[in-house]
């Protein structure tokens, strides 16, 4: 073999090795979609949020990198069906309907589902049925608790849907709804970090009782690839010592 042919051969060999290395690296990147839901997830949060930190750590324990695409909530869910690269979305609450469409990971965190009310007009309630006749704010596309979602579906609760958590909160502040279903951690974060919410935070309060504490999951596309990455994440969560128990608040 002459020198010229040898150089060509070596150049092709290195090119093929480089392509193979990039392919292996690409296979070790997991793409999930999410939303801006501080403090759990957010593009500009430290570590992209507490949920992102946990999920990323679990994947890393199994040798995988996590890339998150931040989108509005409904688009985040739909991206799993529209973009083959995006294998799942999070954070998600469990619901029977969505479990039929997606593969749910083991839970990695907890979310208190609470009631935000105006201090001047507190809501007296002992059960979800006591909210009948009130205008109650929800975020469009969110799962809540089975009892709340059933009461909305059968018309017991007069639901008003907002496009985001902040919008839902501001409707309570401005008196456009009587109260709103929110994650208390999300409200507390926005009350401190968002100037508009913070300006009126003294006029509203989180009702001490929660409707429940929901577990947080990653929802994967229901196919072979989704099942594979769900197993990877579950093994990673176990490896880093994350359990799946949420104790309800009193």
């Amino acid at each position: 073999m002459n020198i010229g042919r040898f150089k060509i051969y070596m150049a092709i060999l290195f090119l093929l090795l480089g392509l193979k290395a990039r392919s292996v690296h690409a296979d070790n990147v997991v793409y999930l979609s999410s939303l801006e839901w501080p403090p759990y997830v957010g593009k500009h949060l430290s570590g992209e949020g507490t949920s992102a930190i946990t999920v990323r750590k679990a994947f890393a324990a199994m040798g995988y990198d996590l890339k998150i695409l931040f989108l509005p909530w409904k688009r985040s869910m739909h991206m799993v069906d529209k973009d083959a690269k995006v294998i799942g979305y999070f954070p998600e609450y469990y619901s029977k309907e969505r479990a039929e469409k997606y593969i749910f990971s083991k839970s990695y965190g907890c979310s208190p589902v609470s009631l935000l009310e105006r201090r001047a007009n507190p809501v007296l309630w002992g059960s979800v049925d006591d909210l009948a006749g009130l205008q109650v704010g929800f975020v469009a596309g969110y799962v809540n608790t089975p009892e709340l979602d059933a009461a909305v579906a059968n018309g017991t609760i007069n639901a008003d849907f907002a496009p985001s958590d902040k919008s839902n909160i501001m409707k309570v502040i401005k008196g456009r709804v009587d109260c709103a279903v929110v994650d208390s951690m999300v409200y507390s974060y926005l009350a401190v970090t968002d100037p508009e919410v913070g300006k009126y935070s003294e006029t509203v309060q989180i009702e001490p009782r929660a409707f429940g504490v929901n577990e947080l999951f990653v929802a994967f596309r229901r196919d072979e690839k989704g099942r594979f990455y769900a197993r990877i994440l579950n093994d990673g969560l176990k490896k880093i010592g994350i359990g799946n128990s949420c104790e309800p608040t009193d």
Side-chain angles (χ1 to χ4, degrees):
M1 182 182 293
N2 62 38
I3 297 298
R5 287 182 178 178
F6 178 74
K7 288 181 177 179
I8 293 172
Y9 171 79
M10 292 303 294
I12 293 172
L13 178 61
F14 284 128
L15 176 62
L16 291 174
L17 289 173
L19 290 172
K20 183 177 181 181
R22 282 194 291 272
S23 175
V24 170
H25 179 71
D27 288 342
N28 283 356
V29 177
V30 181
Y31 290 89
L32 299 177
S33 55
S34 192
L35 77 163
E36 294 291 333
W37 197 46
Y40 298 103
V41 278
K43 187 175 183 178
H44 302 294
L45 298 177
S46 175
E48 296 185 319
T50 55
S51 280
I53 289 170
T54 299
V55 174
R56 179 173 284 113
K57 186 177 180 181
F59 274 123
M62 301 300 293
Y64 290 81
D65 294 327
L66 173 63
K67 301 294 183 184
I68 303 173
L69 285 68
F70 288 97
L71 300 163
W73 181 236
K74 286 190 174 181
R75 283 182 59 197
S76 176
M77 290 189 292
H78 294 158
M79 188 60 64
V80 179
D81 303 314
K82 292 182 177 180
D83 189 337
K85 181 174 68 175
V86 179
I87 194 60
Y89 71 93
F90 79 113
E92 180 60 291
Y93 294 161
Y94 179 86
S95 78
K96 184 178 178 181
E97 179 184 359
R98 291 186 182 171
E100 291 175 354
K101 185 174 182 180
Y102 302 102
I103 298 168
F104 275 64
S105 70
K106 292 189 180 300
S107 79
Y108 63 83
C110 305
S111 167
V113 183
S114 304
L115 190 74
L116 182 70
E117 60 189 9
R118 286 187 295 281
R119 291 181 185 272
N121 302 102
V123 176
L124 301 177
W125 68 283
S127 70
V128 169
D129 288 343
D130 293 332
L131 302 180
L134 299 178
Q135 190 86 359
V136 183
F138 294 85
V139 178
Y142 281 16
V143 171
N144 298 285
T145 67
E147 295 78 14
L148 282 168
D149 291 336
V152 171
N154 65 30
T156 299
I157 289 179
N158 185 12
D160 180 281
F161 293 99
S164 68
D165 286 277
K166 179 180 175 179
S167 177
N168 197 29
I169 291 166
M170 292 306 298
K171 285 184 178 184
V172 179
I173 289 171
K174 294 181 178 181
R176 293 174 58 188
V177 295
D178 296 303
C179 53
V181 175
V182 300
D183 176 295
S184 58
M185 298 297 291
V186 172
Y187 168 71
S188 296
Y189 184 89
L190 291 175
V192 172
T193 61
D194 186 284
E196 191 175 11
V197 175
K199 181 179 179 181
Y200 299 101
S201 62
E202 292 300 317
T203 68
V204 294
Q205 64 186 7
I206 291 289
E207 218 282 339
R209 292 167 297 170
F211 293 108
V213 180
N214 284 344
E215 292 178 313
L216 296 174
F217 303 88
V218 177
F220 291 93
R221 190 165 56 242
R222 187 167 283 283
D223 59 15
E224 190 58 38
K225 188 176 179 182
R227 281 188 284 273
F228 172 79
Y229 284 111
R231 288 194 298 269
I232 292 294
L233 177 58
N234 289 343
D235 288 345
L237 290 171
K238 184 177 181 180
K239 198 169 184 178
I240 65 173
I242 300 297
N244 60 346
S245 175
C246 291
E247 293 295 331
T249 58
D250 294 326

